[in-house]
Amino acid sequence: MITLNRIMKLILFFTLTAFLSKCSTPNQGPTPVIKPIVSITSTPITEGTDVIFTISLSSTSDSATTIAIVTTPNTASTDDYTTTNLTKTIPAGQTSITVNIPTNSDSIGESTETFTLTGTVTSNNTSNTAPIIAVGTILDNGILASELDIWLTKGDQSVLLQKQNTIQLFGTTSNSFQTINVDENQTYQTIDGFGYTLTGGSVEIINSLNATKKQELLQELFGNTVTSIGISYLRISIGASDLNSSVFSYNDLPNGQVDSAQTNFSLAPDNALILMLKEILLINPNIKIMAVPWSAPSWMKSSYTTIGSSLVPIYYSSYATYFVKYIQGMKANGITIDAVCPQNEPLHGGNNPSLVMTATQQISFIKKLGLAFQNNAITTKIVCYDHNCDNPQYPIQVLNDAEAKPYIDGSAFHLYAGDISALSTVHDAHPTKKLYFTEQWTSSTGNFGGDLKWHLKNVVIGSMRNWSVNALEWNLANDASFGPHTSGGCTQCKGAITINNSSGYTRNIAYYIIAHASKFVPNGSIRIASNISGNLSNVAFKTPTGKKVLIVENDGGTTETFNIKFNGKWITTSLETGSVGTYVW
């Protein structure tokens, strides 16, 4: 009886517990996940600053939210802001990100300009089913910004590579002034760069500066800041040039000894040059370098001498090996040689050092050199001639040789004789081969104004209009006595820079000649069409970023007023006699 009573009590307890449990727990499924909502907002800004768009989630998400962003113009054109097409992500656990769209100041007065930013959520962790849209509002700053910059140098040196503070606006008001038409649809050669020869003497004298001043100079020459001139091409000597302190090669032997295998080859005599090139490459890793010998080692020449004489044919293969070891040795030092010439001024045997190499001899040597490069997987370009414009038949003869021609990238010129149009003569004969302008000196006895006009007209503008891919002045730097140089080397060659002492230097005429191009026309720019108008020598380029650059030299005797016309509009400006202007838009 007791046992039955206990059983009944247990049954009653469990029945009551089950009833209470059923009444107290709702009969529901899993709790639903509420996805956050994405929204986008922005605040009006004044032109010249960034429009900041804020993309927000209404709540955090356990996974990242990916949004595809694209801008489209409204009243603002794509010249007013930076067009954008990218993907942005709000990380898991965060609720917002910002997107900055830079805007530009312009010369047009308006109250507001707008563009649209559209965001499409590509992940599935939000509740949005349509793109999110916001308007970027740009308020006019009331300031007229020039549509064209002018950098000027005057022959009287009162203005030296100085940006002019004038407002230049393109318009369509007619006038009777002469016009330079610039046409970006008609293109010519791609530009390798502008610069100088970095001689051993240049290295020696630049190294005499204290560390701070030296770095300041190298940054000014090779950097890309507002105060730099952006040198993009250097020519160096293989062994000594006449603007080294002494004559040397990379395999000098006593008279009577030979080393056909180039076993004793060593770059050690040029360690200072190599170290400076490494410093320059840290500033401009993309600088192009051409290397050229003034002479082969004396034991390889028909007379044991550093002055004149010719390479003995039995040593052609050995000399090709010398070049191969040079390219490989420089590469081992982190220095890429873009191009070589077989010989500097091959028809001038009076310099110290120098070597005479006729066109026939150069053809024979290039065949050996090209094969040696090919066998050693060397891609360095071979450029023939490298002498004056009075003998275009020399490079034409070399390029006419069917066996040598495939190894040759082009031909190089100086302008101590002849006319710059010789480059076009060679181009017309061999239009697939490049042209280089590799050297022109300014003299210690020269006149700033006269040199400015002549060199801009011929070396920069003239070479470019005649298909050259580069334009180089001669020596980069020397001391106040126009040294160092070898015994018998140039005593009047004036560097672009004079090093006065350990803490000071002076910029000379060659600095401004090259800077009017190098600062504004980087490697990879393309020459575009521009017409010569009266006394206004000029050449035009389009840079890799789309800027247009026009260099103009007034070769006349009075101030010239003219129009710069582009895409149906023009700016009217003037240039004093003997002055040079670089115009950028």
Side-chain angles (χ1 to χ4, degrees), residues 469-537:
V469 299
N470 69 349
L472 310 180
E473 287 282 310
W474 174 213
N475 191 31
L476 179 59
N478 53 17
D479 62 25
S481 300
F482 312 107
H485 55 76
T486 63
S487 175
C490 182
T491 60
Q492 293 183 318
C493 291
K494 188 176 187 178
I497 301 291
T498 296
I499 307 299
N500 300 312
N501 50 52
S502 63
S503 59
Y505 54 85
T506 303
R507 301 165 189 85
N508 300 320
I509 178 58
Y511 174 96
Y512 298 103
I513 292 165
I514 291 299
H516 263 280
S518 62
K519 185 176 180 69
F520 312 101
V521 186
N523 173 286
S525 298
I526 297 172
R527 180 168 77 89
I528 58 178
S530 65
N531 62 294
I532 295 291
S533 180
N535 295 312
L536 299 176
S537 299

Side-chain angles (χ1 to χ4, degrees), residues 52-63:
I52 301 175
F53 292 89
T54 302
I55 302 175
S56 303
L57 295 178
S58 59
S59 61
T60 59
S61 173
D62 292 335
S63 58

Side-chain angles (χ1 to χ4, degrees), residues 108-142:
I108 304 169
E110 66 274 297
S111 56
T112 61
E113 298 171 296
T114 61
F115 65 95
T116 300
L117 186 144
T118 303
T120 303
V121 182
T122 59
S123 47
N124 60 3
N125 61 323
T126 69
S127 60
N128 295 69
T129 57
I132 52 176
I133 298 174
V135 174
T137 302
I138 308 169
L139 306 177
D140 188 73
N141 60 12

Side-chain angles (χ1 to χ4, degrees), residues 206-533:
I206 291 173
N207 279 336
S208 71
L209 290 168
N210 65 54
T212 300
K213 210 66 180 176
K214 174 185 172 182
Q215 190 56 220
E216 174 191 291
L217 176 59
L218 293 181
Q219 288 288 346
E220 178 180 341
L221 294 173
F222 301 101
N224 60 1
T225 66
V226 173
T227 57
S228 302
I229 64 169
I231 294 171
S232 51
Y233 205 109
L234 284 176
R235 181 172 177 249
I236 59 176
S237 60
I238 298 176
S241 75
D242 62 306
L243 292 190
N244 277 76
S245 294
S246 61
V247 178
F248 63 85
S249 77
Y250 302 129
N251 195 353
D252 289 322
L253 300 173
N255 194 358
Q257 293 186 20
V258 299
D259 179 19
S260 296
Q262 298 294 339
T263 305
N264 298 312
F265 179 94
S266 173
L267 293 175
D270 253 339
N271 279 342
L273 171 68
I274 290 169
L275 289 173
M276 184 165 289
L277 286 173
K278 290 180 178 181
E279 292 182 83
I280 292 168
L281 285 165
L282 289 175
I283 299 170
N284 180 3
N286 298 316
I287 196 164
K288 289 185 179 291
I289 301 172
M290 172 183 279
V292 187
W294 265 236
S295 176
S298 295
W299 57 268
M300 305 180 77
K301 301 168 75 173
S302 54
S303 298
Y304 189 87
T305 177
T306 61
I307 301 174
S309 186
S310 294
L311 188 67
V312 177
I314 61 171
Y315 293 127
Y316 282 3
S317 293
S318 177
Y319 198 35
T321 301
Y322 183 92
F323 273 76
V324 168
K325 285 180 173 284
Y326 173 77
I327 300 296
Q328 293 173 335
M330 295 297 274
K331 188 69 174 178
N333 280 283
I335 300 165
T336 298
I337 303 301
D338 184 69
V340 295
C341 294
Q343 177 59 37
N344 170 69
E345 299 189 344
L347 300 178
H348 174 37
N351 207 349
N352 187 19
S354 60
L355 178 145
V356 174
M357 183 179 281
T358 66
T360 300
Q361 291 170 332
Q362 189 158 113
I363 290 167
S364 297
F365 175 63
I366 285 175
K367 292 175 184 178
K368 299 290 187 182
L369 182 61
L371 184 60
F373 277 12
Q374 182 176 294
N375 290 339
N376 288 276
I378 290 174
T379 57
T380 298
K381 305 176 184 76
I382 298 173
V383 179
C384 70
Y385 193 43
D386 201 26
H387 208 166
N388 287 330
C389 289
D390 62 342
N391 193 356
Q393 289 309 309
Y394 184 119
I396 290 174
Q397 180 183 342
V398 174
L399 290 167
N400 281 344
D401 187 277
E403 188 179 346
K405 183 176 181 177
Y407 295 127
I408 301 170
D409 178 70
S411 51
F413 290 85
H414 307 171
L415 191 54
Y416 303 115
D419 187 271
I420 194 65
S421 62
L423 277 68
S424 284
T425 300
V426 178
H427 173 268
D428 292 344
H430 293 277
T432 63
K433 297 300 181 180
K434 292 165 69 175
L435 281 301
Y436 295 79
F437 191 92
T438 51
E439 180 186 316
Q440 197 68 27
W441 72 306
T442 52
S443 173
S444 60
T445 62
N447 171 269
F448 185 98
D451 285 343
L452 180 70
K453 289 178 62 174
W454 190 91
H455 284 253
L456 258 297
K457 179 180 181 180
N458 291 282
V459 174
V460 176
I461 295 170
S463 71
M464 293 292 112
R465 293 191 74 94
N466 285 279
W467 296 97
S468 183
V469 299
N470 69 349
L472 310 180
E473 287 282 310
W474 174 213
N475 191 31
L476 179 59
N478 53 17
D479 62 25
S481 300
F482 312 107
H485 55 76
T486 63
S487 175
C490 182
T491 60
Q492 293 183 318
C493 291
K494 188 176 187 178
I497 301 291
T498 296
I499 307 299
N500 300 312
N501 50 52
S502 63
S503 59
Y505 54 85
T506 303
R507 301 165 189 85
N508 300 320
I509 178 58
Y511 174 96
Y512 298 103
I513 292 165
I514 291 299
H516 263 280
S518 62
K519 185 176 180 69
F520 312 101
V521 186
N523 173 286
S525 298
I526 297 172
R527 180 168 77 89
I528 58 178
S530 65
N531 62 294
I532 295 291
S533 180

Side-chain angles (χ1 to χ4, degrees), residues 148-167:
L148 176 144
D149 291 334
I150 302 174
W151 291 76
L152 184 65
T153 296
K154 295 184 178 181
D156 63 5
Q157 303 183 62
S158 60
V159 176
L160 296 170
L161 194 65
Q162 187 177 81
K163 186 177 181 181
Q164 303 303 288
N165 294 319
T166 57
I167 303 298

Side-chain angles (χ1 to χ4, degrees), residues 4-71:
L4 181 59
N5 187 39
R6 287 180 177 176
I7 291 172
M8 291 298 293
K9 287 180 177 180
L10 288 171
I11 291 171
L12 181 61
F13 172 78
F14 286 121
T15 301
L16 180 62
T17 300
F19 174 76
L20 292 173
S21 175
K22 184 175 181 180
C23 291
S24 62
T25 304
N27 186 17
Q28 297 177 348
T31 302
V33 177
I34 300 175
K35 294 182 179 182
I37 299 172
V38 185
S39 61
I40 185 169
T41 58
S42 71
T43 302
I45 55 90
T46 302
E47 62 183 356
T49 57
D50 293 357
V51 178
I52 301 175
F53 292 89
T54 302
I55 302 175
S56 303
L57 295 178
S58 59
S59 61
T60 59
S61 173
D62 292 335
S63 58
T65 303
T66 304
I67 305 121
I69 303 294
V70 64
T71 55

